[in-house]
Amino acid sequence: MARITEASQAYSFSRRALLLGGGQAAVGLVLAGRMTWLAVFENEHYKLLAESNRVNMTLSPPRRGWIVDRNGVPIANNRTDFRVDLIPDRLVDRDRVLATLQQILSLTPEDMARIQTDLKRAAGFQPVAVKENLDWERFAAISVRLPELPGVAPTRGFARNYPLGAGVGHLVGYVGTASAEQYKKEKDPLLVTPGFKLGKDGLERAMEAELRGKAGAKRVEVTARGRLVRELETRPDVPGKNIKLTIDALLQEYVARRMGTNSGSAVVIDVANGDILSMVSVPSYDPNAFSDGISQSEWKILAEDDHVPLMNKVLQGLYPPGSTVKPMNGLALMQAGVDPHMRIQCSGAMRVGNGVFHCHKRGGHGPLDLRNAIMQSCDIYFYEMIRRVGYDAIAPVARALGLGQKFDLPFSSQRYGTVPDSEWKQRRYKTKWTVADSLNASIGQGYVLSNPLQLAVMASRIASGRALVPRLIAGTHMEPAAPLTATSEQLAIVRDAMFGVVNAGGTGGAARMLVPGVAMAAKTGTAQVRRITMAERRGGVLKNGQLPFKLRDHALLVCFAPADNPKYAAGIVLEHNGHTIRNLDTPLIGRDIMTFLFDRERAIKSLHEVEPTWGGDYTTRMKAQADAFKAAQSAPPPPAPEDAAGAVSNIASEAGNATTSNTIDPRAAERGSAEIEP
């Protein structure tokens, strides 16, 4: 057995001690390095994590920027909003508190179910919305009882307000709460913050980035379980940017009221620079109702209205422009080499091949030159002249005057219509252009479609002689408008003809203005939406007043004033108006709109004389409609008629009339025009 000496034992111990010490030193260095990394380099990260465990932040919705008119008059602003929220962590005796709130605030069972669901999902410090848009009495009733309502938080915030109501519905749109899809896409906690709303339509949606602003925040200290300890400092919100429009709010309201009970739209443009002064689509909706949360009955009224109040007809409505294109066609004919003094004999009808094309005047106008053809709106003149030059010579001028053109406006959806030619038809329908196509297009029917804004632009370009571009946001840079290719002499002939339409025995004599020293130039138009057969012509063409609403002609007007030095231009389209009621027809509406721009007192007096016959202004009529709808819903069903089969037949017939499309398909327009009759 080997003998272990003291020297060998000492050596072995020293070696083990050295190894163990080295290992301990290495571990110590690693720990020191890790602690240094955490304490120095990761300090900010873990400090934020610790802070987030201790402090939570509740966002407060920012105040939206205002939308104002060219003079600073508010079109969309913010009003004080009284609301009540619940702080789950502070709730004591939840059932008793909720029962008290239900009684004071008249909460529905649906409201209560929604609140219970939100309370289950919310964190202890996160507010749960109970009721917003409270009146002062209910807000005060909650405030005075706060000692017995732990966890209830009455709050003063801001809600969107539209002073002109339905007068600006389609222009500005409305705001509403974010959808679940929007939150999943953006993951922005502001979207689910009680009281926050974002733009849903119109300018509110298109200008959301500028109008929203930056949220404020309230910091609260909480325990590890999320219980509130104390409130810390707050960060104020940053209001959104104000948007200034070219719109004149007073004119906007006047036009909306003057359109009366019509379904249609009107656009007014400043001829000096292309500023849009008014953009009205009627009937409309009240954006205040949407922003506050529209009821089922209000939605049903809008959805079932055959005048389609949810559609912005200025930008989305497409119509055959009818005879309003005849001044434009006159310019094109002169540029194609037609002598404006050459006369064409109008006998009331024109045969081309196997078809007969009629003039609106059955007996004919006799011999007419270009000026008188525009004044009397003679179809035969334009049939013959455009048959000679071909519509391919007309289409470029139509586009140069704004038809079929896209305009850079802050709206998400626009429809641009059609300016057809032979190339377009070959590409679209794989067929050749025909003489019948040219004749239909020559009177603004057939494949030709435009929206009301384009008609107003056409009027402004004829009035100014320049390619004006419409502008809605004030202050945006616009390049100087280039002159049209038409000569000053050609423009003068067309403007003189449009002056004659109103002031020298033309078709628009009813539009003659009563303002001393101011005359209006215009062109009336009628667009058929159905085809008149030869059999109906032999038996007598039905009047518009005899037809269901959806089968009546559209009524149109383009105009500018003063005729000798144009300052303003307008385009008006009335769906299925049929020229049935004089004070609701385009000539008098156009006259009064232009009168407002030069003599407001006279225009308002004229409105007050006729508005009561329509049931009051748009706000009064909408309220009456809502009241009538509610009464009808609550009324008992009528007794069954004796002839049930006959009653069902009548109802089906009426339903078929009511569901006719509001917009015109190109081929439907062709069928409804004065095309070939076999």
Side-chain angles (χ1 to χ4, degrees), residues 243-254:
I243 303 295
K244 187 174 184 179
L245 306 182
T246 61
I247 294 291
D248 182 328
L250 296 179
L251 176 65
Q252 178 80 8
E253 181 184 22
Y254 181 85

Side-chain angles (χ1 to χ4, degrees), residues 583 591 602-614:
N583 62 26
R591 180 201 70 179
R602 185 188 296 269
I604 292 172
K605 180 181 178 182
S606 175
L607 175 63
H608 287 166
E609 290 173 354
V610 294
E611 195 172 43
T613 66
W614 312 327

Side-chain angles (χ1 to χ4, degrees), residues 18-33:
L18 181 63
L19 291 174
L20 182 61
Q24 289 176 333
V27 171
L29 287 173
V30 170
L31 290 176

Side-chain angles (χ1 to χ4, degrees), residues 256-273:
R257 292 175 61 180
R258 186 59 188 85
M259 294 286 281
T261 57
N262 277 299
S263 173
S265 53
V267 180
V268 182
I269 293 178
D270 188 332
V271 171
N273 50 24

Side-chain angles (χ1 to χ4, degrees), residues 565-584:
N565 183 25
K567 288 183 170 56
Y568 308 105
I572 303 169
V573 178
L574 305 180
E575 292 181 337
H576 309 294
N577 172 274
H579 309 292
T580 52
I581 302 176
R582 180 179 172 84
N583 62 26
L584 286 173

Side-chain angles (χ1 to χ4, degrees), residues 67-83:
I67 301 176
V68 300
D69 82 339
R70 63 193 301 111
N71 301 310
V73 176
I75 293 177
N77 57 10
N78 303 313
R79 58 175 171 80
T80 301
D81 175 39
F82 299 110
R83 58 181 294 113

Side-chain angles (χ1 to χ4, degrees), residues 31-102:
L31 290 176
R34 180 60 177 168
M35 291 177 63
T36 301
W37 175 261
L38 293 176
V40 178
F41 299 103
E42 291 285 295
N43 175 272
E44 188 66 23
H45 172 68
Y46 287 101
K47 182 178 179 181
L48 291 174
L49 288 178
E51 181 73 4
S52 66
N53 288 331
R54 184 183 70 88
V55 178
N56 287 107
M57 187 168 63
T58 302
L59 298 177
S60 59
R63 288 162 288 176
R64 288 183 73 81
W66 287 21
I67 301 176
V68 300
D69 82 339
R70 63 193 301 111
N71 301 310
V73 176
I75 293 177
N77 57 10
N78 303 313
R79 58 175 171 80
T80 301
D81 175 39
F82 299 110
R83 58 181 294 113
V84 171
D85 296 330
L86 287 173
I87 309 300
D89 186 61
R90 295 180 177 179
L91 266 178
V92 178
D93 195 354
R94 175 187 295 189
D95 293 339
R96 180 187 63 81
V97 170
L98 291 179
T100 304
L101 291 177
Q102 183 178 22

Side-chain angles (χ1 to χ4, degrees), residues 526-540:
T526 302
Q528 290 177 210
V529 298
R530 67 187 187 99
R531 181 175 180 179
I532 301 174
T533 65
M534 185 66 80
E536 183 179 345
R537 289 189 185 278
R538 285 194 295 266

